[in-house]
């Protein structure tokens, strides 16, 4: 491409470090779409003849076809996807191909291609996360009443319901989708026509190419246009946070499926056996989902460091944005799909959950609240009295609702048998009716509202 100035070929190692075709060939569909928009605009502006552009468009369509059928031979000596496509175009349409690069550069090309690619992936994530939310809503609704221990410090704290626990993730994923949507909004300005860095002297119509490619508008500064990678940084940051959410849930699945907890069961579909220990059923999909966050957060870190301190405008450093991004986005897609599968597959063991919900004096707060409500005790005093009752139950190895009334009355004589109405996990969760609380009626209401929202959004689009 630059044989005018150069006489010798690059060193083998130069070619190796320089070439990106090995990974950026993924951008071929976007590269062709952007070239078609550019060519059509050049014709409309009278910069190229209609005849040349007709040839170019036909040739580009043929290349896309060849790529889809796996027939395109990419060459490392042609460096990247942009030059591979252009070179193939030259073989197909001859002379006219050389005119396509008028008023553009690989710098605005790659920024445009990558934005188009990332935008597609963002749309894919939105749909995939919505599907995961729906799977959670389904499970939550089915088990809105199933009591289980709620934990703080991974110590039994207060009873909650299984449905309420799952709905917590629906909220997290909603924020994740919000972050992706936000990144998409800011991404959606078209760099094409910024050319190498300074714009062009040709009378191009940047609004036309922007519109043809589904962008809201062209980027307003040519230097910024070719040197900006915020769109992928933001996407990776959002992906990293999503991956953190998935890893937290995956960790819970790992814990819940242990013999010691036994809170849920995963079927053969989402577990593996051991080659030596016949009794084993391992939650590998959950473990790998838990692990993916490493690559995803790593990709974000990696690109931050690549971009740090880069002077304007384009530098070849920025070619390093792609491999880590592809890997991170692929990893997230896989993790979301695996999690969606596991959620549909998991069955809570309601008996085990019920027994665990009642252990660890988990309704102690309910007892203290009862003392406040019925005996008008200040909460601090109620906390103290309850502590003494818990100690008495613990000494006798009894659950709170198994401790005889007279033992409670020995500590606080005004306690009546009514207290037993609040000491079971079922009564405890039922009473948590404050907005956002775990009461089954709340959970059902939230699940229904989410189902409506998700169905409405998927019908729209
Ligand atoms: N392969 C390059 C990249 O991914 C394309 C842009 C190259 N531009 C240049 N002036 N060498 O960034």
């Amino acid at each position: 491409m630059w044989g005018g100035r150069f006489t010798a070929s690059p060193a083998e190692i130069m070619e190796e470090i320089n070439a990106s075709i090995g990974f950026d060939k993924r951008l071929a569909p976007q590269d062709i779409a952007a070239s078609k928009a550019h060519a059509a605009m050049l014709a409309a502006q009278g910069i190229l003849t209609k005849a040349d552009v007709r040839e170019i468009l036909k040739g580009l369509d043929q290349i896309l076809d060849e790529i889809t059928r796996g027939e395109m031979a990419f060459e490392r000596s042609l460096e990247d996807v942009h030059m591979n496509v252009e070179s193939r175009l030259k073989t197909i349409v001859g002379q006219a191909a050389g005119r396509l690069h008028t008023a553009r550069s690989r710098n605005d090309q790659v920024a445009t291609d990558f934005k188009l690619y990332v935008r597609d992936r963002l749309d894919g994530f939105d749909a995939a996360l919505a599907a995961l939310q729906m799977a959670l809503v389904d499970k939550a609704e089915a088990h809105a009443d199933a009591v289980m221990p709620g934990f703080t410090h991974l110590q039994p704290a207060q009873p909650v319901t299984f449905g309420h626990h799952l709905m917590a993730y629906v909220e997290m994923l909603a924020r994740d989708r919000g972050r992706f949507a936000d990144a998409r909004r800011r991404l959606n300005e078209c760099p094409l026509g910024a050319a190498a860095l300074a714009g062009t002297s040709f009378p191009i119509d940047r609004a036309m190419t922007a519109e043809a490619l589904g962008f809201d508008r062209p980027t307003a500064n040519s230097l910024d246009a070719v040197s900006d990678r915020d769109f992928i940084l933001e996407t990776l940051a959002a992906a990293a946070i999503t991956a953190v959410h998935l890893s937290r849930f995956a960790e819970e699945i790992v814990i819940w499926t242990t013999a010691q907890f036994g809170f849920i069961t995963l079927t053969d579909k989402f577990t593996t056996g051991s080659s030596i220990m016949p009794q084993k059923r391992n939650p590998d999909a959950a473990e790998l989902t838990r692990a993916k966050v490493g690559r995803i957060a790593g990709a974000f870190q990696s690109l931050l460091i690549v971009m740090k301190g880069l002077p304007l405008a384009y530098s070849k450093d920025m070619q390093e944005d792609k491999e880590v991004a592809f890997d991170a986005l692929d990893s997230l897609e896989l993790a979301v799909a695996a999690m969606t599968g596991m959620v549909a597959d998991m069955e809570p063991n309601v008996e085990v959950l019920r027994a665990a919900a009642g252990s660890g004096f988990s309704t102690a707060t309910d007892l203290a609240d009862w003392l406040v409500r019925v005996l008008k005790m200040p909460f601090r005093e109620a906390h103290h009295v309850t502590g003494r009752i818990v100690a008495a139950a613990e000494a006798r190895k009894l659950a709170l609702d198994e401790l005889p009334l007279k033992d409670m009355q020995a500590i606080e004589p005004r306690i009546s048998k009514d207290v037993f109405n609040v000491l079971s996990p079922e009564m405890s969760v039922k009473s948590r009716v404050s907005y956002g609380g775990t009461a089954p009626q709340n959970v059902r209401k939230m699940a229904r509202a989410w189902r409506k929202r998700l169905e409405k959004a998927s019908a729209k689009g």
Side-chain angles (χ1 to χ4, degrees):
M1 292 279 171
W2 39 78
R5 169 114 161 74
F6 286 57
T7 48
S9 300
E12 161 72 18
I13 198 71
M14 174 66 213
E15 193 179 298
E16 189 177 339
I17 194 171
N18 202 34
S20 55
I21 188 62
F23 46 89
D24 70 11
K25 58 178 175 230
R26 268 207 206 203
L27 300 179
Q30 288 78 12
D31 192 69
I32 289 169
S35 283
K36 286 175 71 176
H38 183 66
M41 181 277 291
L42 292 176
Q45 294 298 100
I47 300 167
L48 295 194
T49 66
K50 299 227 161 18
D52 276 347
V53 169
R54 214 173 304 120
E55 287 302 295
I56 289 172
L57 293 179
K58 243 176 56 195
L60 288 170
D61 280 335
Q62 182 184 327
I63 298 172
L64 184 60
D65 216 52
E66 290 172 4
I67 290 170
T68 334
R69 286 203 308 267
E71 284 166 10
M72 168 97 171
F74 294 103
E75 276 173 51
R76 196 179 80 171
S77 60
L78 291 167
E79 222 182 291
D80 57 23
V81 65
H82 322 293
M83 300 217 283
N84 268 273
V85 169
E86 189 180 325
S87 158
R88 178 74 191 126
L89 188 65
K90 184 147 187 234
T91 351
I92 300 172
V93 309
Q95 270 310 311
R99 301 188 191 278
L100 175 60
H101 213 55
T102 313
R104 78 170 186 189
S105 142
R106 281 188 294 156
N107 296 349
D108 58 342
Q109 247 189 305
V110 72
T112 305
D113 295 0
F114 205 23
K115 275 191 171 186
L116 289 172
Y117 176 86
V118 171
R119 197 175 68 187
D120 279 352
R121 298 297 301 258
L122 287 171
D123 292 343
F125 285 134
D126 190 61
L129 292 172
L132 174 51
Q133 284 181 303
M134 193 56 113
L136 286 161
V137 166
D138 286 343
K139 269 289 130 123
E141 232 178 350
H143 302 287
D145 298 280
V147 289
M148 69 178 279
F151 297 90
T152 61
H153 314 266
L154 198 54
Q155 306 287 331
Q158 294 174 351
V160 296
T161 71
F162 189 69
H164 194 55
H165 195 113
L166 296 187
M167 291 304 293
Y169 286 99
V170 173
E171 297 295 329
M172 288 179 236
L173 296 169
R175 292 194 295 274
D176 292 331
R177 290 178 65 195
R179 271 179 285 272
F180 284 127
D182 205 31
R184 191 195 195 283
R185 244 188 318 275
R186 257 188 307 281
L187 163 152
N188 214 27
E189 294 184 342
C190 186
L192 197 60
L197 75 163
T200 174
S201 56
F202 290 97
I204 58 172
D205 182 351
R206 292 194 58 206
M208 182 182 168
T209 42
E211 200 194 322
L213 295 169
F215 287 105
D216 296 330
R217 64 192 79 85
T219 51
N221 181 295
S222 60
L223 291 168
D224 178 46
V226 294
S227 65
D228 166 42
R229 292 294 180 273
D230 290 0
F231 60 96
I232 177 68
L233 281 172
E234 285 190 42
T235 298
L236 291 176
I241 297 174
T242 305
V244 166
H245 292 154
L246 295 180
S247 83
R248 295 181 73 177
F249 192 22
E251 166 73 354
E252 296 195 313
I253 293 175
V254 170
I255 294 172
W256 290 351
T257 52
T258 57
Q260 288 75 9
F261 270 74
F263 280 10
I264 61 166
T265 305
L266 288 175
T267 72
D268 295 357
K269 282 204 242 172
F270 281 94
T271 48
T272 60
S274 154
S275 55
I276 172 169
M277 297 165 283
Q279 85 285 9
K280 292 277 274 187
R281 179 186 286 288
N282 296 325
D284 297 41
E287 295 169 81
L288 288 163
T289 300
R290 182 174 61 183
K292 292 292 183 202
V293 64
R295 301 157 70 139
I296 297 166
F300 175 52
Q301 187 75 1
S302 163
L303 186 57
L304 270 183
I305 293 169
V306 167
M307 296 306 294
K308 179 200 163 293
L310 277 189
L312 301 188
Y314 178 84
S315 294
K316 198 60 172 266
D317 307 51
M318 286 155 67
Q319 179 167 285
E320 289 288 315
D321 59 358
K322 288 173 206 69
E323 281 165 294
V324 288
F326 290 147
D327 181 70
L329 301 182
D330 291 348
S331 298
L332 185 65
E333 186 177 312
L334 190 56
V336 173
M339 190 52 92
T340 307
M342 282 188 282
V343 169
D345 188 63
M346 68 171 64
E347 266 318 307
N349 302 321
V350 277
E351 294 308 313
V352 177
L353 288 173
R354 167 68 182 76
S359 74
F361 311 105
S362 64
T363 55
T365 316
D366 299 273
L367 172 54
D369 286 351
W370 186 90
L371 297 172
V372 169
R373 207 170 42 245
V374 180
L375 304 185
K376 309 290 176 226
M377 226 181 241
F379 184 80
R380 280 290 155 235
E381 189 187 335
H383 186 285
H384 182 77
V385 169
T386 304
R388 290 180 58 205
I389 295 175
V390 165
E394 193 172 33
R396 300 193 46 188
K397 296 193 172 25
L398 293 172
L400 268 186
D401 58 352
E402 293 164 355
L403 188 69
L405 182 60
K406 64 173 183 1
D407 293 48
M408 293 193 206
Q409 287 171 335
I411 294 161
E412 169 50 63
R414 289 178 296 160
I415 293 180
S416 69
K417 68 173 184 345
D418 284 356
V419 79
F420 289 100
N421 288 335
V422 302
L423 294 184
S424 74
E426 283 79 7
M427 293 309 287
S428 172
V429 297
K430 224 170 146 182
S431 72
R432 299 285 195 270
V433 290
S434 58
Y435 181 77
T438 192
Q441 65 184 82
N442 274 10
V443 174
R444 256 186 229 103
K445 206 166 145 194
M446 286 292 181
R448 268 198 304 268
W450 264 112
R451 177 184 303 289
K452 255 212 192 112
R453 261 168 87 172
L454 292 166
E455 275 168 358
K456 211 164 123 197
S458 87
K460 255 206 301 199

